[in-house]
C-alpha cells in the first residue's frame, strides 16, 4: 500500500491516531492519563530548589517543576505550560514560555513580532502571508509564527487559524483568577494529527480503521522489542528504568561489511522505532562491530534520520566502550505503559 494514510480511531476507549506510510506504521499518538503537553495552568510557586535554579509549583494535577527561574517568590501565581511527560515519580515538567500552537499558526504572547517559517522561500508567498498576518493580528502585542505548511494553503484557512489562536491566547493570558486552575487543555491525538501531520494524506475516520488498515498488527510489533533490518538482521529496543538499550544484530550475515550495513540500517530505522513506541530519555546504542573509519558516516546518517523527527534528540556521541548515546525529549509516554 503506497502513500500516506492518517487513521483516526480508538483503542480501549482511548482516542488514538496512526500515520501509515507505504503500509508501515510511521507514527502513533494515543491519549494517556497524565497531563497532556500543551496544557496551560495557573500555578502557585511552592519551593525553590537550591543549586538547580528551579522551583516546584502547585497545579491542579499535582506538583510541577519549572527550570531556570529567577525572582519568583513562594506563593506567587504564574502561568506555565506542560512541556513533556514526567518520568515515573517525578514532577510535571513545565515552561513559563507559553505558546498557542495550531496547524498554520503559533501565537507567542511573550515574543512579539511576525515571523514566517524559513522553509518558505518564495518572496510572493511570504508577502501574501505577511499581509494575512498583519490583517488578523491588528494591534495585538503578541507575536506570531506562520508554519511551513502555510505554503500552498488556503488563505481563509490560515486567517481562521490565526484568529482562533489569538482569541485563545487573549482568553488565557487575560484570565484574572486567584486560584490554581487548568486554563487550557493540551491537544488530543486527533487534533495533534491534524496539527502536525501536514503532508498530503488520505484521512480515515470510520470506526474499525485501525484493524482494516493494518494498524493493530503494526502495534503488536511495536509493543515488542524486535524490529527487522534489511538484509536479515534485527534491531532490539528494550526500555529499562535507567535508559533505553538498543542492540544491533546482523543475523545470519557474517561478511566483513555486515556490521556496517546493519548499523547504517539502524540509523535509518531508529527514529521511527522510538517514535511509535513512545520511548525517550537516555538511549544507548550497542552497535554491531564496524571499522572506526565508518563512525563519522554513521553519525551523519543518524543525524539525517532524526532531522525530520518531531521530537528533539541530542546526539551525545561515543562512549569509551564504543557505544553511541542519545538524549531524547519525553514528548509522549511509552506505548507499553499506556496499553498494558
Amino acid at each position: 500500500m503506497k502513500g500516506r494514510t492518517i487513521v483516526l480511531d480508538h483503542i480501549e476507549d482511548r482516542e488514538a491516531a496512526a500515520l501509515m506510510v507505504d503500509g508501515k506504521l510511521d507514527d502513533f499518538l494515543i491519549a494517556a492519563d497524565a497531563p497532556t503537553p500543551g496544557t496551560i495552568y495557573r500555578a502557585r510557586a511552592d519551593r525553590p530548589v537550591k543549586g538547580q535554579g528551579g522551583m516546584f509549583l502547585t497545579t491542579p494535577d499535582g506538583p510541577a517543576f519549572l527550570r531556570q527561574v529567577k525572582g519568583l517568590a513562594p506563593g506567587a501565581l504564574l502561568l506555565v505550560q506542560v512541556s513533556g511527560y514526567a518520568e515515573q515519580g517525578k514532577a510535571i515538567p513545565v515552561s513559563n514560555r507559553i505558546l498557542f500552537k495550531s496547524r498554520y499558526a503559533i501565537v507567542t504572547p511573550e515574543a512579539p513580532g511576525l515571523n514566517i517559517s524559513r522553509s518558505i522561500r518564495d518572496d510572493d508567498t511570504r508577502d501574501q502571508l505577511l499581509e494575512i498576518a498583519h490583517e488578523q493580528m491588528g494591534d495585538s502585542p503578541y507575536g506570531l509564527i506562520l508554519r511551513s505548511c502555510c505554503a500552498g494553503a488556503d488563505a481563509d484557512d490560515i486567517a481562521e487559524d490565526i484568529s482562533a489562536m489569538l482569541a485563545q491566547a487573549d482568553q488565557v493570558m487575560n484570565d484574572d483568577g486567584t486560584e490554581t486552575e487548568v486554563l487550557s487543555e493540551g491537544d488530543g491525538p486527533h487534533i495533534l494529527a491534524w496539527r502536525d501531520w501536514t503532508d498530503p494524506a488520505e484521512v480515515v475516520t470510520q470506526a474499525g480503521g485501525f484493524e482494516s488498515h493494518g494498524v493493530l498488527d503494526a502495534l503488536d510489533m511495536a509493543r515488542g522489542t524486535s524490529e527487522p533490518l534489511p538484509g536479515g538482521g534485527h534491531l532490539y529496543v528494550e526500555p529499562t528504568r535507567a535508559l533505553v538499550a538498543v542492540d544491533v544484530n546482523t543475523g545470519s550475515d557474517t561478511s566483513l561489511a555486515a556490521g556496517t550495513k546493519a548499523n547504517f540500517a539502524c540509523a535509518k530505522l531508529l527514529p521511527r522505532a522510538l517514535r511509535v513506541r513512545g520511548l525517550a530519555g537516555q538511549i544507548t546504542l550497542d552497535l554491531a562491530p564496524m571499522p572506526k573509519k565508518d563512525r563519522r558516516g554513521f553519525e551523519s546518517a543518524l543525524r539525517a534520520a532524526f532531522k525530520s523527527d518531531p521530537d528533539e534528540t541530542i546526539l551525545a556521541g561515543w562512549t569509551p566502550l564504543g557505544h553511541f548515546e542519545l538524549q531524547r525529549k519525553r514528548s509522549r509516554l511509552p506505548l507499553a505503559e499506556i496499553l498494558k
Side-chain angles (χ1 to χ4, degrees):
M1 184 187 301
K2 295 294 184 180
R4 294 168 58 91
T5 303
I6 295 172
V7 188
L8 308 180
D9 204 345
H10 290 75
I11 294 181
E12 300 178 1
D13 295 326
R14 294 179 183 271
E15 184 178 291
L19 174 62
M20 303 293 288
V21 178
D22 297 336
K24 294 184 178 181
L25 182 63
D26 190 75
D27 203 351
F28 184 74
L29 304 168
I30 186 167
D33 297 327
T36 308
T39 297
I40 300 174
Y41 298 121
R42 185 190 304 110
R44 178 175 284 109
D46 188 0
R47 58 185 175 86
V49 181
K50 294 181 179 179
Q52 294 187 26
M55 175 77 77
F56 280 106
L57 312 175
T58 298
T59 79
D61 292 325
F65 185 69
L66 177 62
R67 295 182 180 275
Q68 297 178 340
V69 61
K70 295 181 180 180
L72 184 62
L77 292 173
L78 71 159
L79 298 187
V80 293
Q81 188 166 39
V82 178
S83 57
Y85 285 104
E87 297 181 53
Q88 188 173 4
K90 294 190 176 182
I92 304 165
V94 295
S95 169
N96 55 2
R97 180 172 175 255
I98 310 296
L99 301 176
F100 296 87
K101 186 175 182 180
S102 190
R103 183 180 179 96
Y104 300 113
I106 303 173
V107 171
T108 58
E110 298 176 8
L114 304 181
N115 298 279
I116 298 174
S117 169
R118 293 178 184 175
S119 65
I120 301 176
R121 298 180 179 178
D122 181 75
D123 289 338
D124 290 340
T125 301
R126 294 181 70 87
D127 288 342
Q128 292 170 4
L129 292 175
L130 276 175
E131 185 177 339
I132 296 171
H134 280 291
E135 182 178 344
Q136 294 301 315
M137 295 297 289
D139 58 358
S140 171
Y142 302 156
L144 175 71
I145 300 170
L146 292 182
R147 305 180 68 194
S148 59
C149 61
C150 288
D154 184 83
D156 290 339
D157 290 341
I158 298 171
E160 183 179 336
D161 214 32
I162 296 172
S163 178
M165 288 300 97
L166 185 58
Q168 185 181 359
D170 276 332
Q171 179 180 350
V172 170
M173 302 304 293
N174 294 318
D175 190 294
D176 57 0
T178 57
E179 299 295 332
T180 61
E181 186 180 350
V182 177
L183 298 179
S184 177
E185 297 279 1
D187 292 331
H190 290 181
I191 296 296
L192 280 175
W194 169 80
R195 191 186 86 182
D196 292 338
W197 299 343
T198 57
D199 289 342
E202 176 191 2
V203 179
V204 177
T205 59
Q206 293 87 352
F210 282 170
E211 183 174 4
S212 61
H213 284 76
V215 176
L216 296 182
D217 291 338
L219 287 176
D220 284 340
M221 176 177 289
R223 292 169 74 173
T225 61
S226 177
E227 287 270 354
L229 293 173
H234 281 82
L235 190 68
Y236 294 93
V237 184
E238 301 184 64
T240 71
R241 186 174 180 85
L243 50 81
V244 177
V246 178
D247 179 64
V248 181
N249 189 298
T250 61
S252 59
D253 189 348
T254 58
S255 66
L256 291 175
T260 299
K261 288 193 296 183
N263 291 338
F264 276 70
C266 161
K268 186 175 181 180
L269 179 65
L270 186 61
R272 185 188 66 81
L274 295 173
R275 193 164 57 237
V276 299
R277 289 171 170 81
L279 298 177
Q282 298 180 49
I283 301 162
T284 299
L285 310 184
D286 184 9
L287 299 167
M290 71 176 177
K292 283 190 175 182
K293 65 180 178 65
D294 291 330
R295 284 187 174 185
R296 180 170 295 180
F298 170 79
E299 288 183 57
S300 297
L302 199 61
R303 188 172 292 106
F306 276 107
K307 187 175 182 179
S308 60
D309 190 80
D311 295 333
E312 181 184 1
T313 302
I314 298 171
L315 306 187
W318 301 91
T319 73
L321 293 178
H323 298 147
F324 193 87
E325 295 184 328
L326 307 92
Q327 180 76 31
R328 187 170 171 82
K329 181 180 178 181
R330 297 181 188 276
S331 66
R332 57 188 76 179
L333 288 176
L335 179 65
E337 184 177 315
I338 299 174
L339 300 178
K340 295 180 180 178

